[in-house]
Amino acid sequence: MTAPHHRPQRWTWRRPGVAAALVLGTPIWASAVVLVSLHTPVQAQVQPIDFGQERPSAEVRAVAHGVMQSGDHQALPFVLVDKHHARVFVFDRHGHLQGASPALLGLARGDEGVAGIGDRPLSSIQPWERTTPAGRFVATMGRNVADQAILWVDYEQGISLHPVRRHPAKERRLQRLASPEPDDNRISYGCINVPVAFWQKVVVPTFAQHIGVVYVLPDTLPLSAVFVMPLAP
């Protein structure tokens, strides 16, 4: 997340320090070469993306094709998060859809994060601060303080993609995931929750050996204000 008066983070991988990485089990990358060059798109691939039986929104389709045509994903696996429809799309490095799923998102609508929120206890986070920030994030597999596997999206702000948890029971997260109404999927503190089966069968195999890119589409901002790449019409 970023401060409310700044635009969402799009280009920098926020690398944890060595101490934090050791505590949280987050990989420590020995060389920037591993990350490729995040400022220089690789050679563009122009083949259209096949969504199979999925019927994504026009915005999702535009970003997906923009990613592949511009090479913005650096030939890495990538994820598109459609906040409007509470769905997640996972692609391999070639732009082949690996799977799609409903997802739980931050309770509050908004495209910006709150400065310093990743260092605060959950009990101090107000309902209006519980946003899933929009932007482009370089993601890596890791573990949280409870030693649970997650895909870090924004380490500093504590935003990750992970399998849904059953607790607290009063939040009815499993039922919310099964609901056809996107509004029911707004419940988390900002993290992106997906079904356990989807995590195990799609997310883990796609990212177990790779860093990747997560594109979180905005709630209110135009796509062009969030993603600095040509977008398909």
Side-chain angles (χ1 to χ4, degrees):
M1 294 182 180
T2 54
H5 58 280
H6 292 309
R7 289 168 60 181
Q9 175 65 28
R10 290 168 298 194
W11 290 100
T12 304
W13 177 48
R14 290 167 169 166
R15 175 181 171 186
V18 172
L22 290 175
V23 170
L24 296 176
T26 304
I28 304 171
W29 303 101
S31 171
V33 175
V34 177
L35 300 178
V36 196
S37 170
L38 297 183
H39 296 279
T40 306
V42 298
Q43 184 175 359
Q45 302 184 42
V46 296
Q47 68 269 26
I49 289 182
D50 181 8
F51 281 91
Q53 300 300 312
E54 293 294 322
R55 296 293 178 264
S57 67
E59 290 78 11
V60 168
R61 196 174 291 275
V63 174
H65 288 299
V67 167
M68 294 304 297
Q69 290 172 1
S70 66
D72 184 83
H73 66 313
Q74 303 292 315
L76 297 170
F78 63 97
V79 177
L80 301 184
V81 180
D82 181 358
K83 290 200 286 181
H84 284 158
H85 299 91
R87 285 192 70 78
V88 167
F89 302 83
V90 176
F91 299 87
D92 69 10
R93 62 191 300 269
H94 303 293
H96 300 147
L97 182 67
Q98 303 301 291
S101 170
L104 301 182
L105 303 165
L107 174 68
R109 281 176 170 74
D111 297 317
E112 305 285 352
V114 178
I117 198 170
D119 297 321
R120 291 164 49 187
L122 292 180
S123 60
S124 75
I125 300 175
Q126 300 301 311
W128 59 86
E129 296 179 308
R130 294 167 59 174
T131 58
T132 300
R136 178 194 191 275
F137 305 92
V138 177
T140 181
M141 294 292 288
R143 306 191 78 83
N144 62 14
V145 292
D147 200 34
Q148 298 165 325
I150 59 176
L151 180 69
W152 281 115
V153 176
D154 189 322
Y155 180 87
E156 287 184 359
Q157 298 300 323
I159 300 296
S160 66
L161 186 154
H162 61 74
V164 65
R165 320 292 188 206
R166 293 177 178 268
H167 301 288
K170 66 180 180 180
E171 293 185 347
R172 303 173 61 252
R173 293 198 176 204
L174 294 180
Q175 292 90 335
R176 289 174 179 276
L177 269 176
S179 170
E181 299 298 327
D183 286 349
D184 291 338
N185 294 44
R186 298 286 185 145
I187 189 62
S188 80
Y189 281 82
C191 286
I192 304 155
N193 296 191
V194 295
V196 173
F198 183 78
W199 169 264
Q200 293 174 339
K201 295 178 181 179
V202 177
V203 179
V204 172
T206 303
F207 291 94
Q209 303 299 323
H210 305 278
I211 60 170
V213 183
V214 175
Y215 299 90
V216 181
L217 278 64
D219 278 321
T220 58
L221 292 171
L223 293 179
S224 59
V226 177
F227 303 119
V228 285
M229 61 183 172
L231 298 171

